[in-house]
Amino acid sequence: MAPRWKGETAEAKEPMSVIVSKLQTSLIESNAQGLLSGCAVLLEALPEQTELLYRACIGRPLITAEKDKKQWHQLSFEEALYLCCVLKCIKIAGENKCAKSNDELWHYMMVKRVGFPVMFKAYSHLRRKNWVVRAGSQYGVDYVAYRYHPAFVHSEYAVLALPDDEDGGSENSRLKVWSDFHCTLRLCGSVAKTLLVLHISRNGEDDVVSLSSLEHYSVEERVVTRWNPEVSRDAK
Amino acid sequence: MAPRWKGETAEAKEPMSVIVSKLQTSLIESNAQGLLSGCAVLLEALPEQTELLYRACIGRPLITAEKDKKQWHQLSFEEALYLCCVLKCIKIAGENKCAKSNDELWHYMMVKRVGFPVMFKAYSHLRRKNWVVRAGSQYGVDYVAYRYHPAFVHSEYAVLALPDDEDGGSENSRLKVWSDFHCTLRLCGSVAKTLLVLHISRNGEDDVVSLSSLEHYSVEERVVTRWNPEVSRDAK
């Protein structure tokens, strides 16, 4: 499926990998540090970083009284952890203003959000492939994935991240019954998205250990579409 | 919410209770007998019964070569059991052509369909209140409920029947996570239906016992809609 453009396409052409790389360099140079705040991370950014965060579609700017100065951004746990532990371009501090270690962050986020390891694995999996990933609650899924910035294109994929548990754990109990499948596929169809299911196997890793255990998780991508009988018909 | 009419409304005015009552009388008079066939029940009906089955929206006629004669209808398990055990107007036979007892039927259907007791409780609960109940798979729910015949109105309710298990059994694991809730509500909104959740409590009854144990089940009806802030705003 090709991306569905919203209008002018020229501006979108800079590859996402280049934009993210510029953001990474800039944040490293300025020793950027985020602050844990409940279920989010606040990050103060220079004007050029604000521009790059917007173009990379990471976080959202908070409304502030000051203009033409530094701008505060609110990052989700996934976004903050990705910048901190995958791109290694920000530090994140807790209430005492001291930067937390990766494992301290990991533990904090896991306690705050049920099923966070599986969600972060899915988020980072797609981001590493240069998809733009945003929350999908509007469409009843975990994420939506865009090929370019959402200002230019509609999202192509509605993404569900499902742990591949033997016990069918209740952590993200989606697509276990037909009515849920029908509901999700019909909704995806009506908003012109393809359902992408990321089955995430823990491969025996216990998810409470540490961030490094995430490397042992594996991701299986399944695109779910309705079968079109025309496809297999003889072209006579 | 008022029913959304499809066009002419005059024909729909005969109450559903009257139509069902006529069907019941006619089937009793003709000693009607259905035949179990896999996951359905086949019922041969006289022309007047065919008309009444259509108007009551029970079963669907099978295409046959013969015209102006008896017509075969295919009933779902819910429809057949409702006619047999609630309205007591048909008998149902198995392969040996002998009418099965209520408990034999119950056991047969429970083995064939996972979660059937809860589904039948929901179906009969709505039918007793004279709602027209049809399968809801098209909308990703268990049933849809119409105020009149589907030829005259669109369905008003999208219905999910959920067992109220302490252990959160996987039988019908819907609406356990937010993304499923969002998905279902958005879909219901886009097809102009109200989500009706029937929470069915077994009240300690073990559902393998018999049809009579269904009387101890209780049904709690919950309509789920998005909250509209306007509603609580002062009318100044």
Side-chain angles (χ1 to χ4, degrees):
Chain A
M1 201 160 73
R4 291 179 305 118
W5 296 96
K6 286 182 175 173
E8 267 313 306
T9 64
E11 289 178 81
K13 290 300 179 192
E14 188 167 24
M16 191 48 64
S17 57
V18 174
I19 299 170
V20 170
S21 181
K22 284 181 183 171
L23 173 67
Q24 185 183 23
T25 309
S26 175
L27 289 171
I28 289 172
E29 280 174 0
S30 69
N31 275 320
Q33 179 163 297
L35 295 170
L36 276 174
S37 168
C39 278
V41 172
L42 302 179
L43 178 71
E44 202 178 24
L46 301 168
E48 78 167 61
Q49 291 166 349
T50 292
E51 168 76 12
L52 287 166
L53 282 167
Y54 171 76
R55 290 175 61 206
C57 209
I58 291 175
R60 57 186 187 81
L62 296 174
I63 296 162
T64 52
E66 306 166 64
K67 284 186 181 177
D68 305 322
K69 290 190 179 176
K70 286 185 172 181
Q71 165 73 49
W72 283 96
H73 295 257
Q74 181 174 317
L75 310 181
S76 69
F77 276 176
E78 290 94 327
E79 291 167 333
L81 203 64
Y82 191 75
L83 291 181
C84 179
C85 300
V86 179
L87 300 181
K88 301 184 199 307
C89 59
I90 64 169
K91 299 280 177 201
I92 299 177
E95 283 177 7
N96 59 3
K97 303 284 162 85
C98 288
K100 284 188 180 290
S101 73
N102 286 358
D103 284 344
E104 282 170 340
L105 274 178
W106 182 244
H107 186 257
Y108 177 92
M109 292 175 177
M110 261 192 9
V111 169
K112 286 270 183 190
R113 261 182 58 191
V114 176
F116 181 68
V118 163
M119 287 296 141
F120 182 67
K121 183 71 187 179
Y123 179 87
S124 55
H125 179 80
L126 293 173
R127 270 285 176 186
R128 280 174 201 267
K129 296 187 172 195
N130 294 303
W131 286 92
V132 175
V133 188
R134 294 299 250 177
S137 58
Q138 205 182 346
Y139 304 105
V141 291
D142 297 318
Y143 300 109
V144 283
Y146 301 78
R147 195 174 289 266
Y148 303 104
H149 191 281
F152 306 122
V153 292
H154 293 278
S155 55
E156 279 170 68
Y157 293 100
V159 184
L160 280 174
L162 304 183
D164 247 359
D165 290 343
E166 293 84 37
D167 61 357
S170 59
E171 203 174 273
N172 196 355
S173 61
R174 291 299 306 272
L175 308 186
K176 299 238 191 271
V177 290
W178 280 111
S179 67
D180 187 9
F181 241 120
H182 291 151
C183 184
T184 309
L185 279 178
R186 169 137 184 165
L187 179 51
C188 285
S190 74
V191 293
K193 303 191 193 314
T194 302
L195 178 61
L196 171 64
V197 181
L198 298 181
H199 286 273
I200 297 179
S201 299
R202 298 200 175 102
N203 295 322
E205 287 290 322
D206 188 354
D207 69 28
V208 288
V209 188
S210 69
L211 180 56
S212 61
S213 65
L214 217 58
E215 287 164 27
H216 301 286
Y217 284 26
S218 61
V219 180
E220 189 185 315
E221 301 156 342
R222 293 184 200 159
V223 161
V224 185
T225 56
R226 294 171 77 171
W227 183 66
N228 179 1
E230 300 285 320
V231 170
S232 66
R233 205 173 63 176
D234 283 352
K236 280 182 185 172
Chain B
M1 202 159 72
R4 292 178 305 119
W5 296 95
K6 286 182 175 173
E8 268 313 306
T9 64
E11 288 178 80
K13 291 300 181 194
E14 188 168 22
M16 190 51 62
S17 57
V18 174
I19 298 169
V20 170
S21 181
K22 284 181 183 171
L23 173 66
Q24 186 183 22
T25 308
S26 176
L27 288 171
I28 289 172
E29 281 174 1
S30 69
N31 276 318
Q33 179 164 298
L35 295 170
L36 277 173
S37 168
C39 278
V41 172
L42 303 180
L43 179 71
E44 201 178 24
L46 301 167
E48 76 166 63
Q49 291 166 349
T50 293
E51 166 78 12
L52 287 167
L53 282 167
Y54 171 77
R55 290 175 61 205
C57 209
I58 291 175
R60 59 186 185 83
L62 296 174
I63 296 163
T64 52
E66 307 166 63
K67 284 186 180 175
D68 303 326
K69 289 189 177 174
K70 285 184 172 181
Q71 165 71 52
W72 284 96
H73 294 258
Q74 181 174 315
L75 310 181
S76 69
F77 276 177
E78 290 93 328
E79 292 167 332
L81 202 64
Y82 190 76
L83 291 181
C84 178
C85 300
V86 179
L87 300 181
K88 301 184 200 307
C89 58
I90 64 169
K91 299 282 178 200
I92 299 178
E95 285 177 6
N96 60 4
K97 304 283 162 85
C98 288
K100 285 187 180 290
S101 73
N102 286 358
D103 284 344
E104 281 170 340
L105 273 178
W106 181 245
H107 186 257
Y108 177 91
M109 293 178 175
M110 259 189 14
V111 169
K112 286 271 183 190
R113 263 182 57 190
V114 176
F116 180 69
V118 162
M119 287 298 141
F120 183 67
K121 184 70 187 183
Y123 179 89
S124 55
H125 178 81
L126 293 172
R127 271 284 177 185
R128 279 174 202 266
K129 295 184 172 195
N130 294 305
W131 286 91
V132 175
V133 188
R134 294 299 250 175
S137 57
Q138 205 183 346
Y139 305 105
V141 291
D142 296 319
Y143 301 109
V144 283
Y146 300 78
R147 195 173 289 266
Y148 302 104
H149 191 281
F152 306 122
V153 291
H154 293 276
S155 56
E156 279 171 66
Y157 293 101
V159 184
L160 279 174
L162 304 183
D164 247 358
D165 288 345
E166 293 84 40
D167 61 359
S170 59
E171 203 174 272
N172 196 355
S173 61
R174 290 300 306 272
L175 308 185
K176 300 240 190 267
V177 290
W178 280 111
S179 66
D180 187 10
F181 241 120
H182 291 152
C183 184
T184 310
L185 279 178
R186 168 134 185 170
L187 179 51
C188 285
S190 73
V191 293
K193 303 192 192 315
T194 302
L195 179 60
L196 171 63
V197 181
L198 298 181
H199 285 272
I200 297 179
S201 299
R202 297 199 175 101
N203 295 321
E205 287 290 323
D206 188 353
D207 68 26
V208 289
V209 189
S210 68
L211 180 58
S212 61
S213 64
L214 217 59
E215 286 164 28
H216 300 286
Y217 283 27
S218 60
V219 181
E220 189 185 317
E221 301 155 342
R222 294 185 200 158
V223 160
V224 185
T225 55
R226 294 171 76 172
W227 184 66
N228 179 2
E230 300 285 319
V231 170
S232 67
R233 205 173 63 176
D234 283 352
K236 276 183 185 171

